[in-house]
Amino acid sequence: MLNVVLSIFLLACIAPHLYRLLGKHTGLVLALLPATLFIYFASQLSAVSQGQPLLQSWPWFPGLGIQLSFMLDGLSLLFALLITGIGTFILCYAGQYLQGHPALGRFFLFLLSFMGAMLGLVLSDNLITLFVFWELTTVSSFMLIGFNHEDSESRQKAHQGLMVTVLGGLALMTGLIMLGMAAGSYQLSDVLQQDLTGHSLYLPMLILILLGAFTKSAQTPFHFWLPNAMAAPTPVSAYLHSATMVKAGVYLLARLQPSLGGSEVWLLTLSAVGALTMLTGIFLASRATGIKKVLAYSTVMALGTLTMLLGLGTEKAALAAVTFLLAHALYKGALFMIAGILDHEAGIKDFEKASGLRKLMPRTTLVAVVAALSLAGVIPLFGFVGKELLLEAVLSGSQWQLGLTAATVLANIFVVLVAALLAIKPWFGQALPTPKPAHDPGWQMLAGPAVLATLGLIFGLLPMLPDQYLLNAAATAVYGQPISGYLALWHGINLPLMLSLGSLVLGLLLFRFWQPWRKLTAVVETLSKAGPEAGYNKLMAALVSFAAWQTRVLQNGYLRNYLLTTMATVVLLVGWAMLRLEHFELNWQFSDVRVQEAVIFLVLLTTIISAVVLNSFLGVVALLGALGFAVALIYVFFSAVDVGITQVLVETITVLLLVLVLYRLPEFRRLSSTAHRARDALIAIASGTVITLLILLVTASRSMEGIAWYFLEKSVPEGYGRNVVNVILVDFRALDTLGEIFVLALVAIGVYAMVHLRTGAKPVTNADKRLTAEQKRQQSVKGEL
Amino acid sequence: MTTMMAILIGCLYAAAIYMMLRRSMVKLLIGLILLSNAANLLIFTVAGLERGVPPLIAKGAETVVGGSADPLAQALILTAIVIGFGVLAFAVVLLHRAYEVIRTDDMNEMKGTD
């Protein structure tokens, strides 16, 4: 399975080059790979349906216990088949939909990377690899939503999707690490063997994981990013934002249900959030007029339904969830591609402008009607089977049975309305003029929706087909135990059927009054100004202004402020640590001082103080020279002859350099106010005191022998030299010395460049000179005051 | 002697930081010189002060007889002195050049990005 995932990423890398070679046929050629993989996964059907998950593992970071391990059980297989199957059609479709787009090669790159990431995600048997693939889907989704990156709105929406899902991803990572810690293993197959609902970390990890899943699967209140993600080209919406990526959150919940599900809080949170999302989504769908918007909101509704079903956690709910998921992927994929066809072949993006296209696009009409009937849950389509199971699961749920059933039926009424909009509005009735001459698309674009819609019909007529080979195994993986239920088209006349029929009638009635309904609920437009999206925008604006504020404060452009902050922090932290020391012993003795050392000490002290207070430049340079030579004497006194010699040499050159270069600079001026000077002096004295104390502490409590003995011992036998310092420099630490030579060479080049290469320097204009002269006069006036 | 050195180094640091906090760039430079001296002395003192035992090995001997000052600290300081000089030379020329272009030595007027 590693090869499967890698092959897609590999193809993604060469896709742009292939596009240059193959031109407009690229999509079809690229589709060969997912088609092959689909066949590979389909060949695993019988083994997996017997209840034998396929496990494969490669070491990745063996030291950290992270393995590239893959697991193929019913749930993974269901997703893998959807990803490769729909992916095949999407590639064919996109090749024609975006034909001639200058960046089509890049588009294939992103789309295939997404496919690889999504496959990796559903096949991962390791929590860490799962997370890596999870984030890869986020990144590739960002690239795809922002594909038309010249459009600022597109960029903004891509950014929004990224921020929301990355935020959740961050929470998810923490949650998954907690999960791994709680289970004692990062292998999913190990984790799933354990029931972690009683673990002390259960609640925090559940919250974090749910945050990740809810943001990814656009649950309320994070639902707003999904309709906005429709800024992506339609093939992307059809693939990522209906059939695959947004279901990653649902996948995660379904995957972890055996370990985390079943508790009161799981049931409560998932059912409540799921039901709320379901109602929010479908309500907003019934109000929208953009075809893609309607589909996006109804996807939000489907994701909510799935979350609710997973929350129930019963055997029936597990079966209903996987069935509903498959049915939804089939009809929603088809409907999205039809929305794309309407846009591409007739220039229609809005329901209000579409009518009577049936004669011009007969084949598209047929496919759209079949898919929409499945969405509505009309017998004998697969959507009907899904909806029956959904109602049965909700009715047999243990708690809030009534509330959830009412919510589901209510949602279903609106689903019928949406389905009717899709099945009737653009096709039947009086023909309206279209922006482009309408016609049926080529087979590459029609094949996908046609096959998906037909599958919806076949699976509806023969529900035992998907049940036996796939859905039973998938539901088993979700439930954690073998499932006894089965799929059937006809359950007899019972309560779910009645509810289903009732919602059908009411939904059609509502369709009749669609426009009045939209007017009636127009108040939502004003309400949405205070909705989650507005909150998100405010949060982002606040984040940006906070960043600007803290940059202004911290990066204020004054070197001395940086220095002041740094030193104050050091003084406070080190001082605080010193105060907390239990054993505070200072090396405080003057008895061993010799006369010559005391003289040098006094000389140095005088030099330092004079250098600070003296107001003449040449005087200070002379003092610095004196200071340097006195320091050299200290080195010589205390057995560091070589250092002393070097210091004398360097000090001589330094004084020369300072005199030669700096005599052209102005004399010292008094620039700071007295208050500033006092503050700086305070900080400086505090820093000096801390350093002194630090030295006294360290020298009093030296507990370990240094490594000097090594160099003293090895100098002659290994370095063949008797001056140990020299041997260290040119032998033991020769690389350091080489680095030092490099630094000096760089300095030489830099100095040469600054002195001799004067091109590009900004000449000082006369106006500038006048300005600085004016400033100087002002400052000297201030100084006199 | 360590105590006296500690006091001396503290004074050097205080003077260096005070000078670096000034607005004049020449004073900044002087602060830099003081700081590099202070840091070198810090390493030297913390490694241990020994009188009259340079890390030199007598002819014919395999290793030092009796005690020796820490050769590693000395090697480090030697490197630091040279690097410090490199930095100083660069800074001196840079500041001089900056003064030529902007015609001021007030750091407050050098906070723009161009």
Side-chain angles (χ1 to χ4, degrees):
Chain A
M1 277 182 274
L2 180 65
N3 298 336
V4 168
V5 176
L6 284 183
S7 67
I8 299 185
F9 280 118
L10 200 68
L11 189 66
C13 291
I14 58 169
H17 305 285
L18 274 180
Y19 177 60
R20 235 164 278 149
L21 279 176
L22 299 169
K24 64 177 185 175
H25 302 296
T26 322
L28 292 179
V29 176
L30 291 177
L32 288 176
L33 180 69
T36 319
L37 296 178
F38 181 83
I39 295 168
Y40 164 76
F41 283 119
S43 71
Q44 307 291 330
L45 270 172
S46 59
V48 171
S49 62
Q50 316 263 307
Q52 297 161 345
L54 196 63
L55 289 166
Q56 290 173 357
S57 184
W58 288 265
W60 191 15
F61 298 113
L64 293 172
I66 299 175
Q67 281 155 349
L68 261 181
S69 48
F70 296 100
M71 172 172 69
L72 191 67
D73 65 355
L75 187 64
S76 308
L77 190 56
L78 171 63
F79 271 93
L81 286 172
L82 284 178
I83 292 162
T84 49
I86 298 185
T88 307
F89 294 121
I90 292 288
L91 281 171
C92 299
Y93 183 94
Q96 199 177 27
Y97 185 85
L98 288 172
Q99 197 176 11
H101 193 291
L104 190 54
R106 206 176 58 205
F107 177 81
F108 284 127
L109 166 68
F110 295 148
L111 198 68
L112 283 165
S113 325
F114 166 78
M115 193 186 286
M118 192 67 205
L119 257 186
L121 168 63
V122 298
L123 295 176
S124 278
D125 186 29
N126 185 291
L127 294 176
I128 305 293
T129 35
L130 185 144
F131 175 73
V132 170
F133 285 122
W134 177 283
E135 290 293 87
L136 278 177
T137 63
T138 302
V139 173
S140 45
S141 161
F142 168 71
M143 295 296 198
L144 286 166
I145 301 174
F147 181 63
N148 295 319
H149 57 87
E150 276 130 16
D151 177 15
S152 83
E153 201 176 338
S154 189
R155 286 202 304 273
Q156 191 198 333
K157 286 172 175 173
H159 185 248
Q160 189 186 54
L162 183 76
M163 289 314 275
V164 174
T165 43
V166 158
L167 185 81
L170 211 61
L172 177 71
M173 183 179 73
T174 326
L176 288 180
I177 290 172
M178 282 180 169
L179 180 64
M181 278 162 51
S185 165
Y186 284 101
Q187 292 299 108
L188 254 176
S189 38
D190 294 341
V191 174
L192 295 183
Q193 304 294 324
Q194 306 173 36
D195 182 9
L196 295 169
T197 46
H199 197 275
S200 58
L201 280 177
Y202 177 69
L203 201 62
M205 81 189 166
L206 182 70
I207 292 172
L208 290 169
I209 290 175
L210 287 186
L211 204 59
F214 285 177
T215 47
K216 192 83 161 181
S217 279
Q219 300 293 309
T220 307
F222 306 111
H223 62 267
F224 58 88
W225 76 264
L226 183 56
N228 286 340
M230 296 300 132
T234 307
V236 175
S237 313
Y239 192 40
L240 273 69
H241 305 121
S242 76
T244 54
M245 186 186 88
V246 289
K247 293 207 176 104
V250 173
Y251 167 80
L252 190 75
L253 295 177
R255 176 50 84 211
L256 294 176
Q257 170 159 324
S259 285
L260 300 179
S263 70
E264 192 75 6
V265 52
W266 170 280
L267 179 76
L268 184 82
T269 321
L270 264 68
S271 315
V273 172
L276 186 66
T277 308
M278 178 172 78
L279 289 175
T280 316
I282 200 63
F283 173 69
L284 291 172
S286 76
R287 282 200 35 75
T289 60
I291 300 176
K292 280 179 82 177
K293 279 263 158 150
V294 170
L295 286 170
Y297 279 124
S298 82
T299 304
V300 172
M301 170 264 168
L303 296 168
T305 312
L306 286 168
T307 307
M308 182 182 76
L309 282 173
L310 291 169
L312 290 179
T314 59
E315 194 178 330
K316 210 155 237 166
L319 190 60
V322 292
T323 312
F324 189 82
L325 193 142
L326 177 61
H328 175 259
L330 292 178
Y331 62 67
K332 197 52 71 65
L335 287 172
F336 256 113
M337 287 196 250
I338 286 167
I341 292 174
L342 273 176
D343 184 10
H344 196 256
E345 313 297 351
I348 288 173
K349 295 179 178 181
D350 206 290
F351 276 121
E352 285 180 325
K353 299 195 182 78
S355 185
L357 290 167
R358 156 182 51 117
K359 294 236 172 66
L360 296 166
M361 309 169 81
R363 275 169 270 169
T364 315
T365 309
L366 181 68
V367 174
V369 169
V370 174
L373 284 179
S374 189
L375 167 65
V378 174
I379 203 164
L381 289 128
F382 195 49
F384 173 76
V385 181
K387 198 197 263 180
E388 291 296 286
L389 273 172
L390 163 67
L391 284 167
E392 271 183 43
V394 176
L395 277 171
S396 64
S398 51
Q399 287 181 43
W400 310 301
Q401 190 197 82
L402 202 66
L404 291 184
T405 310
T408 312
V409 174
L410 190 63
N412 265 340
I413 296 173
F414 286 103
V415 170
V416 174
L417 160 69
V418 168
L421 273 177
L422 288 159
I424 299 171
K425 193 83 193 17
W427 319 109
F428 300 96
Q430 199 172 10
L432 288 176
T434 51
K436 289 186 202 167
H439 57 90
D440 268 331
W443 67 270
Q444 293 108 309
M445 281 176 78
L446 202 55
V451 171
L452 293 179
T454 315
L455 275 178
L457 184 62
I458 295 174
F459 287 172
L461 290 170
L462 303 165
M464 59 294 265
L465 263 183
D467 181 31
Q468 203 177 345
Y469 287 107
L470 188 57
L471 294 180
N472 202 300
T476 305
V478 176
Y479 188 54
Q481 287 160 29
I483 294 274
S484 57
Y486 61 94
L487 299 190
L489 185 60
W490 185 249
H491 288 252
I493 296 172
N494 52 11
L495 188 56
L497 187 69
M498 291 288 126
L499 290 174
S500 197
L501 276 179
S503 51
L504 207 61
V505 173
L506 284 173
L508 284 173
L509 208 63
L510 197 59
F511 172 65
R512 182 77 186 70
F513 299 104
W514 184 51
Q515 289 296 3
W517 162 255
R518 292 196 58 238
K519 284 209 186 75
L520 190 71
T521 51
V523 64
V524 178
E525 309 274 304
T526 34
L527 274 182
S528 73
K529 288 201 179 86
E533 187 171 6
Y536 167 85
N537 289 335
K538 277 209 185 88
L539 195 72
M540 281 295 134
L543 192 68
V544 169
S545 60
F546 173 74
W549 170 81
Q550 66 103 18
T551 309
R552 244 186 350 262
V553 171
L554 294 179
Q555 308 279 321
N556 46 36
Y558 293 108
L559 174 71
R560 61 170 187 283
N561 283 2
Y562 301 157
L563 197 64
L564 210 62
T565 322
T566 315
M567 287 322 295
T569 316
V570 167
V571 166
L572 284 178
L573 287 183
V574 176
W576 184 67
M578 276 184 193
L579 285 180
R580 288 170 53 90
L581 274 183
E582 284 174 19
H583 188 70
F584 194 84
E585 186 196 336
L586 291 180
N587 184 356
W588 192 261
Q589 54 168 342
F590 293 95
S591 54
D592 60 341
V593 179
R594 295 184 184 174
V595 181
Q596 69 269 34
E597 292 162 5
V599 171
I600 290 286
F601 173 73
L602 288 177
V603 168
L604 275 169
L605 220 53
T606 328
T607 328
I608 295 165
I609 295 168
S610 326
V612 173
V613 294
L614 200 66
N615 223 359
S616 138
F617 175 64
L618 269 181
V620 172
V621 171
L623 283 171
L624 284 178
L627 183 127
F629 289 120
V631 171
L633 271 178
I634 291 184
Y635 289 137
V636 175
F637 282 159
F638 293 100
S639 320
V641 189
D642 298 84
V643 182
I645 296 168
T646 316
Q647 173 85 3
V648 168
L649 283 175
V650 164
E651 211 52 55
T652 315
I653 310 175
T654 306
V655 171
L656 284 177
L657 182 81
L658 285 176
V659 172
L660 281 178
V661 176
L662 292 187
Y663 78 94
R664 294 185 232 193
L665 292 184
E667 272 293 312
F668 288 166
R669 286 182 290 139
R670 206 184 130 97
L671 293 170
S672 315
S673 66
T674 312
H676 278 172
R677 284 165 172 262
R679 179 198 61 188
D680 296 348
L682 192 73
I683 289 283
I685 290 168
S687 316
T689 315
V690 163
I691 298 271
T692 300
L693 286 175
L694 211 57
I695 298 172
L696 294 176
L697 263 172
V698 169
T699 48
S701 61
R702 189 166 176 157
S703 57
M704 291 224 292
E705 194 52 39
I707 52 168
W709 61 268
Y710 173 86
F711 299 105
L712 292 169
E713 258 175 33
K714 303 283 179 179
S715 176
V716 170
E718 289 187 6
Y720 301 102
R722 302 192 171 274
N723 184 333
V724 184
V725 176
N726 287 6
V727 173
I728 291 176
L729 285 176
V730 298
D731 193 318
F732 291 119
R733 306 196 61 85
L735 269 182
D736 282 1
T737 312
L738 187 67
E740 184 187 350
I741 292 169
F742 265 122
V743 171
L744 289 183
L746 273 178
V747 166
I749 294 170
V751 168
Y752 181 85
M754 279 192 288
V755 174
H756 288 283
L757 308 175
R758 309 226 143 180
T759 49
K762 196 173 92 190
V764 179
T765 60
N766 281 337
D768 286 343
K769 273 184 187 152
R770 239 177 287 127
L771 199 68
T772 45
E774 182 63 34
Q775 281 164 346
K776 269 185 193 157
R777 208 174 306 126
Q778 282 176 357
Q779 261 144 5
S780 64
V781 171
K782 270 188 209 153
E784 280 161 20
L785 288 173
Chain B
M1 186 58 201
T2 308
T3 315
M4 211 158 82
M5 285 296 286
I7 296 169
L8 180 68
I9 294 165
C11 291
L12 263 177
Y13 264 102
I17 289 166
Y18 180 76
M19 290 305 262
M20 288 178 84
L21 287 171
R22 306 274 49 81
R23 270 166 66 181
S24 152
M25 63 181 176
V26 183
K27 289 191 177 174
L28 170 71
L29 208 64
I30 292 164
L32 210 61
I33 298 173
L34 291 174
L35 193 72
S36 68
N37 268 315
N40 290 341
L41 281 176
L42 175 71
I43 301 172
F44 191 64
T45 308
V46 173
L49 297 168
E50 307 271 351
R51 290 191 189 86
V53 276
L56 300 169
I57 299 169
K59 250 204 170 96
E62 271 289 293
T63 177
V64 283
V65 188
S68 162
D70 190 333
L72 186 60
Q74 293 189 16
L76 290 180
I77 296 167
L78 224 151
T79 311
I81 291 174
V82 179
I83 294 274
F85 172 70
V87 171
L88 179 74
F90 191 80
V92 166
V93 179
L94 183 68
L95 289 183
H96 180 249
R97 186 90 183 89
Y99 179 70
E100 272 187 343
V101 175
I102 320 175
R103 284 285 150 197
T104 177
D105 73 329
D106 185 352
M107 302 290 290
N108 269 19
E109 290 168 33
M110 289 191 177
K111 65 185 280 269
T113 45
D114 49 13

